[in-house]
Amino acid sequence: METIKVVKTAHYVPSKVVTNDDLSKIMDTSDEWISSRTGIKQRHISIEENTSQLCTNVAEQLLEKSGWDAESIDLLIIATMSPDSYTPATAALVQGNIGAHKALAFDISAACSGFIYGLNVAEKFMVSSGSSCKRVMLIGGEVLSKVIDWTDRTTAVLFGDGAAGVLLEQNEEDSSCFVSSSLHTYGEQGDKLEAGKTDALSSFPTAGDHKIKAFSMSGRDVYKFATHKVPVSIEEAVEKAGLTLDQIDYFVLHQANSRIVTQIAKRLDQSLAKFPMNIAKYGNTSAASVPLLLDELVSNKAIKRGQIIAMSGFGGGLTVGTQIIKY
Amino acid sequence: MTEQEIFDKVKDIVVEQLDVDADKVKMDSDIKEDLEADSLDVFEIMNELEDELDIKLEADEGVKTIKDVVDYVKKEVDAK
């Protein structure tokens, strides 16, 4: 167990709200169809603000809440599958925006598991011997609306934009800690969920018309993956921790689909009351969804210091990851 | 496996997944119309059958009634 504390949490979503009824005006769908199959009622869509801007807003809130000087951040990680550009990394842009000049900054691309993978990477940085990495800012942020095909009703209704993150600090005196984790990647199933796919040149010289492809997803394969592999990942992490599922106070799961979360609760034989959800308000915000839910639970005091929380992400890669913390 | 054994297995899974009375599940029941399943319920029923019978099923195989599911599963089980 590593004495790493989640010091503060914060989130930011763009102001424009798009309801299911709004979508039913531009594609053949309905509020009833979307909400009964996904639990989603609305999502926030970013106009003008790119991923780095959503993340910068979260970063500024985190600094304000903690009173930390931006210069005291040692590591700044952004988990995203919708970065502003191939380079610079979104994390570098945020580092520059907030003036965290001493922070090493890079992005993690693990889609909807990105925040969990980020926690794991942060932990490794913080506990490696001789490390001077004490303070970490980790944010999951997405502007998925820019890679959605807004004529494809099978994917367009599912996603939303937003960012959320945490400040982590290593503090031997504290009882808060990272308890255990379980991460897996199933690359042979990578083509089941794709977004932003690019093609190599077909000939040279070329007219150079670069195209980036929109979201495509094999719904049933991803559904099956999530309902099978997430319970396994949670059980592995719980076993590694020497805990039982009953000792977990909350399961903070990636908000992809309420039906998936319900099925995971059923497979783990745990009360659905331990699986809080906010997908109705935000849709699937990929790497932002776990910290967005965590921040809401911390803010409304549902999650308290000392509780055991299992956080799980799952999605593109295909990837899955669980991190258990004592909050 | 006989057709009856497969039907019993399908019935158990449908009752569990859709929370319907067992006597409502008949060979000629329309899964979406009579048993009020949606596409995700069908995913879950297919997933459970795959796990329990160690076969591979496609969700979009055009299954409409319970009999369609039983016939499709029987074909895959026999081909194993």
Side-chain angles (χ1 to χ4, degrees):
Chain A
M1 280 191 216
E2 304 301 342
T3 53
I4 295 171
K5 182 179 190 175
V6 176
V7 178
K8 292 292 173 193
T9 60
H11 79 269
Y12 173 73
V13 287
S15 58
K16 184 173 179 61
V17 172
V18 175
T19 65
N20 293 346
D21 285 335
D22 293 334
L23 288 181
S24 71
K25 288 170 194 148
I26 57 170
M27 62 186 75
D28 182 17
T29 189
S30 70
D31 177 44
E32 194 281 326
W33 195 96
I34 299 169
S35 55
S36 69
R37 282 162 184 77
T38 67
I40 299 166
K41 300 292 285 182
Q42 62 171 50
R43 70 285 294 142
H44 291 253
I45 299 294
S46 187
I47 306 297
E48 301 283 338
E49 292 175 298
N50 212 332
T51 308
S52 66
Q53 285 150 308
L54 305 191
C55 293
T56 298
N57 187 300
V58 172
E60 287 168 346
Q61 286 185 59
L62 288 169
L63 292 176
E64 191 180 326
K65 282 185 176 185
S66 63
W68 287 7
D69 186 342
E71 301 259 1
S72 72
I73 308 287
D74 301 304
L75 175 64
L76 197 167
I77 302 175
I78 304 285
T80 185
M81 56 172 280
S82 52
D84 288 24
S85 17
Y86 291 159
T87 193
T90 304
L93 296 172
V94 175
Q95 189 250 28
N97 289 344
I98 64 170
H101 301 118
K102 292 179 183 154
L104 181 66
F106 56 85
D107 292 353
I108 286 184
S109 174
C112 309
S113 308
F115 182 77
I116 307 299
Y117 278 45
L119 289 172
N120 207 260
V121 171
E123 179 190 16
K124 302 292 184 287
F125 264 87
M126 293 170 95
V127 304
S128 66
S129 65
S131 169
S132 58
C133 181
K134 301 291 179 203
R135 287 183 165 186
V136 177
M137 180 179 276
L138 169 63
I139 297 170
E142 305 284 6
V143 177
L144 299 173
S145 55
K146 66 189 178 185
V147 282
I148 285 169
D149 175 355
W150 287 102
T151 63
D152 176 8
R153 64 179 182 154
T154 66
T155 55
V157 302
L158 303 175
F159 301 98
D161 300 335
V166 295
L167 290 177
L168 304 173
E169 186 170 38
Q170 198 184 15
N171 183 350
E172 306 292 337
E173 317 285 287
D174 213 289
S175 68
S176 295
C177 59
F178 279 22
V179 180
S180 65
S181 62
S182 160
L183 309 183
H184 294 286
T185 302
Y186 301 87
E188 70 283 359
Q189 293 191 73
D191 62 351
K192 306 299 184 197
L193 203 176
E194 295 176 333
K197 189 175 181 178
T198 59
D199 287 328
L201 296 182
S202 55
S203 62
F204 187 85
T206 172
D209 184 18
H210 297 290
K211 288 202 179 73
I212 292 184
K213 297 196 180 90
F215 255 102
S216 72
M217 183 168 78
S218 167
R220 182 177 169 223
D221 289 315
V222 175
Y223 178 91
K224 183 170 187 182
F225 171 79
T227 54
H228 282 66
K229 298 300 186 191
V230 178
V232 171
S233 165
I234 291 174
E235 282 170 338
E236 275 181 8
V238 164
E239 191 183 334
K240 270 192 211 170
L243 296 169
T244 64
L245 288 166
D246 292 339
Q247 289 174 284
I248 306 293
D249 291 297
Y250 284 109
F251 297 87
V252 178
L253 264 51
H254 167 51
Q255 303 287 290
N257 184 318
S258 61
R259 298 269 292 270
I260 290 177
V261 175
T262 303
Q263 197 63 35
I264 291 168
K266 198 165 144 190
R267 283 179 183 261
L268 291 173
D269 196 22
Q270 291 289 300
S271 161
L272 194 57
K274 290 168 75 173
F275 293 75
M277 289 189 244
N278 63 2
I279 190 169
K281 287 192 287 180
Y282 303 113
N284 178 347
T285 58
S286 189
S289 88
V290 169
L292 178 48
L293 180 56
L294 180 69
D295 180 48
E296 288 197 339
L297 294 166
V298 167
S299 299
N300 67 24
K301 299 189 167 52
I303 289 182
K304 300 174 195 72
R305 290 289 173 198
Q307 284 184 324
I308 306 292
I309 313 296
M311 294 182 276
S312 291
F314 49 93
L318 299 177
T319 56
V320 62
T322 298
Q323 175 73 51
I324 297 177
I325 64 166
K326 183 177 172 192
Y327 177 69
Chain B
M1 278 180 98
T2 66
E3 188 175 277
Q4 183 63 41
E5 285 168 335
I6 293 172
F7 172 72
D8 290 342
K9 177 71 72 185
V10 170
K11 185 161 89 172
D12 286 350
I13 290 170
V14 167
V15 166
E16 164 74 13
Q17 176 62 25
L18 302 180
D19 204 17
V20 292
D21 290 337
D23 55 12
K24 270 193 77 180
V25 184
K26 304 194 178 74
M27 277 299 245
D28 61 357
S29 305
D30 185 300
I31 301 167
K32 290 187 176 166
E33 296 296 322
D34 301 330
L35 303 175
E36 294 178 14
D38 66 18
S39 52
L40 267 69
D41 292 320
V42 175
F43 282 5
E44 194 56 43
I45 291 164
M46 293 298 193
N47 289 345
E48 288 288 327
L49 287 166
E50 284 186 340
D51 289 353
E52 294 199 16
L53 302 174
D54 194 25
I55 52 175
K56 183 94 185 80
L57 303 169
E58 301 301 327
D60 49 3
E61 198 61 18
V63 293
K64 190 167 157 59
T65 64
I66 294 292
K67 182 173 188 307
D68 293 339
V69 178
V70 171
D71 289 348
Y72 181 31
V73 169
K74 181 142 190 1
K75 193 178 95 188
E76 293 303 316
V77 170
D78 288 348
K80 243 199 337 179

